[in-house]
Amino acid sequence: MSDSSRDTAEGAGWGSAERGAYRELMPQRTEKLSWLSPRTLWAARNGVLASWFGDPTGRTRGRWVARRTAAGAPADKVIRRDDPDRFSFLVIGDTGEGDDPQYAVVPGLLKAGRDTRFAVLASDVIYPVGSADDYGTKFFRPYREYPAPIYAIPGNHDWYEDLGGFMRVFCDDAPPLPPEPAPRPLTPAWLRSLLWHRPRPDDGRHLDEARKMRSALAQQAEQPGPYWAIDAGPVRIIGIDTGLLGTVDAEQGAWLREVSRGPRPKILVTGSPLYVDGEHHPCPIAGGGTVDDIVRDPGHHYVAAIGGDIHNYQRYPVHVDGRTVQYVVAGGGGAFMHATHTIPRVSVAGVDEQDFRCYPLRGDSLAFYSRLYGRRLRLRRFFTLTEAEATAVITERLGIRPARAPGTPARVTRRTRLVAGLLGTGRRPDRGKRFRLPVRKIYTQLFSPSSATYDPPFFKCFLRLDVAPDAVRLRCYAATGNRAQELNPPVEDEVTIPLV
């Protein structure tokens, strides 16, 4: 097994490494998606409109589900497979930017996942707005050599065109929904409708041609709707759709409670992680209760809850009623990297730094962002930190042991402390609380690095889950964009989850 980022800096992708062969998989011309572009931000406006004028996602989702049921999809939305008691599957989150970081994941994924029975895409299949014509370069082409079916749950970006592209690709080429009656003038719904982003009338004209790249019978996967359950071997995998604002409507909540009953071990896949960045986000259900209430109920026998949306890897082993539920963030499948260095010292639900895992390591994240902003601000000599300097200042600010001992010990200077503070580096829980959330939003959301990450290391990742009658082994594999990690994908984290 090759070195991981926890072993050496070279295992993290630093240094003069040979670039991977992933670019051979890419089209000659690729879209350079930038989240700083006013055009991109305007196209992706529906989430803001939903938060201001009311969220129509639940009603639209109900119309899609009703149509699929009328067309013959199973009413319980359960996909019943014939997998044996021992099998493996992949989970890949937040994939579809269609550029270098997404394609850099593919060689390692094909190598580590060559014997898996299926894959699940967890949130944001297509950026920026889920258009049907983006599926060619952002779904069918990158995964054309993956030989097994791919199921998916939508993320908020897939909802920016009312889920039309997603339903066409994953749900039996569902035709567009007919328009709803116009809302009453001068109401919030009327204001929302005036500004609402909608797909182009000719969107999807290239979809039939794109489908040919994954046309083999063994690659086909039809799912009953945007949320579903898969009975596979000894486990039930449940995928939920958290829409534009990270919530669940009452109809889906009632289905989730019903499909969660019974002693069969269950794994939840959700577009909104329940534990992330050292905080608990239980995910409200319209009408009362939360998704995490359902996960924690001992009668439902959940063993893991895996969420996308945040573009890195995190794991929180939470003790619940005498058992441990693994809460995982797995959104590092292709989109720009959300920082981990902004995560404060972890102390949540009984999970502390000794139990917590993340990828990239905080020091690598800080070094990555320091290079990014050094280039953007043309202050490379001031901003750029070596991975050893970044690791040292993270260790000091959080009061923790370094996850990887630096090759050459680095001294923490006034400059490194200042750069770490400017880039939102986390602290211990008793320090800097009131500044933590705004800084994280600024540096990992508004000023995302998507338009500047075309050179390794990318710090991408995917999950492989090996299921057996008595346990599931979950492994997080790294994809840096360098050749060494393509040939032998390193395991960044591994945990065995008992089923009995």
Side-chain angles (χ1 to χ4, degrees), residues 373-406:
Y373 283 101
R375 290 194 301 269
R376 282 191 174 175
L377 301 176
R378 299 183 180 181
L379 294 171
R380 297 191 186 195
R381 292 185 62 183
F382 172 75
F383 258 96
T384 301
L385 304 180
T386 67
E387 57 85 18
E389 289 174 327
T391 298
V393 74
I394 288 284
T395 300
E396 178 186 84
R397 284 176 69 97
L398 271 67
I400 60 175
R401 297 176 60 183
R404 175 182 73 238

Side-chain angles (χ1 to χ4, degrees), residues 37-271:
S37 163
R39 181 179 178 182
T40 302
L41 293 172
W42 176 242
R45 63 189 179 271
N46 285 1
V48 175
L49 295 175
S51 66
W52 287 354
F53 302 117
D55 184 3
T57 301
R59 185 176 63 253
T60 305
R61 183 189 295 118
R63 297 174 69 206
W64 281 121
V65 169
R67 170 179 280 188
R68 291 290 294 134
T69 303
D76 62 2
K77 302 169 186 60
V78 177
I79 303 165
R80 293 171 173 87
R81 295 176 48 88
D82 60 353
D83 300 298
D85 285 345
R86 296 179 183 273
F87 75 97
S88 303
F89 69 99
L90 300 175
V91 177
I92 324 159
D94 297 80
T95 53
E97 284 198 355
D99 52 13
D100 292 55
Q102 179 179 9
Y103 279 86
V105 176
V106 175
L109 182 148
L110 294 176
K111 188 175 182 65
R114 60 185 178 276
D115 60 339
T116 52
R117 303 274 296 193
F118 59 88
V120 175
L121 298 187
S123 183
D124 290 339
V125 180
I126 300 295
Y127 293 97
V129 294
S131 297
D133 277 331
D134 283 342
Y135 273 84
T137 56
K138 299 178 182 181
F139 174 72
F140 288 106
R141 186 183 184 98
Y143 310 120
R144 59 184 172 177
E145 298 299 327
Y146 179 67
I150 299 176
Y151 304 95
I153 57 168
N156 58 311
H157 288 269
D158 300 303
W159 269 101
Y160 286 163
E161 290 192 348
D162 292 332
L163 212 62
F166 181 96
M167 295 297 292
R168 291 184 67 175
V169 170
F170 294 104
C171 300
D172 196 27
D173 205 16
L177 290 172
E180 290 190 290
R184 288 183 304 160
L186 303 180
T187 62
W190 177 77
L191 289 170
R192 185 184 64 221
S193 69
L194 292 180
L195 299 171
W196 199 252
H197 171 81
R198 295 177 176 85
R200 303 185 315 270
D202 62 344
D203 187 47
R205 64 191 184 279
H206 302 302
L207 198 51
D208 288 341
E209 186 66 24
R211 290 182 196 275
K212 295 177 182 178
M213 289 185 276
R214 279 188 55 84
S215 59
L217 183 61
Q219 293 176 313
Q220 305 312 302
E222 183 182 331
Q223 59 190 58
Y227 57 92
W228 41 258
I230 298 175
D231 282 348
V235 300
R236 171 169 283 186
I237 304 156
I238 298 175
I240 61 171
D241 169 18
T242 55
L244 280 170
L245 301 181
T247 60
V248 169
D249 62 281
E251 180 183 353
Q252 184 181 183
W255 168 86
L256 179 60
R257 292 184 178 97
E258 180 64 29
V259 82
S260 297
R261 290 177 179 152
R264 187 172 191 159
K266 298 172 185 71
I267 298 170
L268 181 72
V269 183
T270 168

Side-chain angles (χ1 to χ4, degrees), residues 262-493:
R264 187 172 191 159
K266 298 172 185 71
I267 298 170
L268 181 72
V269 183
T270 168
S272 300
L274 303 180
Y275 283 89
V276 60
D277 294 346
E279 299 172 349
H280 184 211
H281 298 272
C283 188
I285 298 173
T290 69
V291 169
D292 202 28
D293 292 339
I294 297 172
V295 171
R296 287 169 172 265
D297 189 323
H300 296 159
H301 200 177
Y302 277 92
V303 298
I306 302 171
D309 189 52
I310 302 301
H311 306 165
N312 53 46
Y313 172 81
Q314 301 173 44
R315 180 168 64 84
Y316 301 82
V318 177
H319 299 291
V320 180
D321 295 327
R323 60 198 173 94
T324 300
V325 179
Q326 299 290 341
Y327 290 87
V328 176
V329 178
F336 68 88
M337 183 191 74
H338 277 141
T340 58
H341 68 266
T342 58
I343 303 173
R345 179 169 171 163
V346 170
S347 178
V348 60
V351 179
D352 59 20
E353 280 292 330
Q354 185 175 351
D355 306 315
F356 171 69
R357 294 290 183 273
C358 70
Y359 176 78
L361 301 179
R362 290 183 177 99
D364 290 330
S365 171
L366 179 57
F368 175 96
Y369 268 75
S370 75
R371 284 162 170 75
L372 168 68
Y373 283 101
R375 290 194 301 269
R376 282 191 174 175
L377 301 176
R378 299 183 180 181
L379 294 171
R380 297 191 186 195
R381 292 185 62 183
F382 172 75
F383 258 96
T384 301
L385 304 180
T386 67
E387 57 85 18
E389 289 174 327
T391 298
V393 74
I394 288 284
T395 300
E396 178 186 84
R397 284 176 69 97
L398 271 67
I400 60 175
R401 297 176 60 183
R404 175 182 73 238
T408 303
R411 186 169 61 92
V412 178
T413 65
R414 293 170 64 182
R415 180 184 72 89
T416 57
R417 291 189 183 102
L418 178 58
V419 170
L422 290 172
L423 295 179
T425 303
R427 287 181 176 270
R428 284 171 282 185
D430 58 337
R431 293 187 178 183
K433 273 189 174 182
R434 59 187 178 138
F435 298 110
R436 190 178 73 220
L437 182 59
V439 167
R440 181 161 67 239
K441 284 186 175 180
I442 290 170
Y443 284 104
T444 67
Q445 301 281 345
L446 180 59
F447 297 115
S448 73
S450 60
S451 60
T453 51
Y454 296 104
D455 295 302
F458 297 125
F459 298 110
K460 299 289 93 189
C461 60
F462 60 92
L463 305 184
R464 176 182 168 122
L465 289 87
D466 302 307
V467 180
D470 59 344
V472 173
R473 181 172 65 163
L474 183 152
R475 283 177 285 178
C476 172
Y477 284 90
T480 66
N482 289 325
R483 186 64 173 160
Q485 285 80 40
E486 282 187 353
L487 295 173
N488 194 0
V491 176
E492 288 291 336
D493 186 35

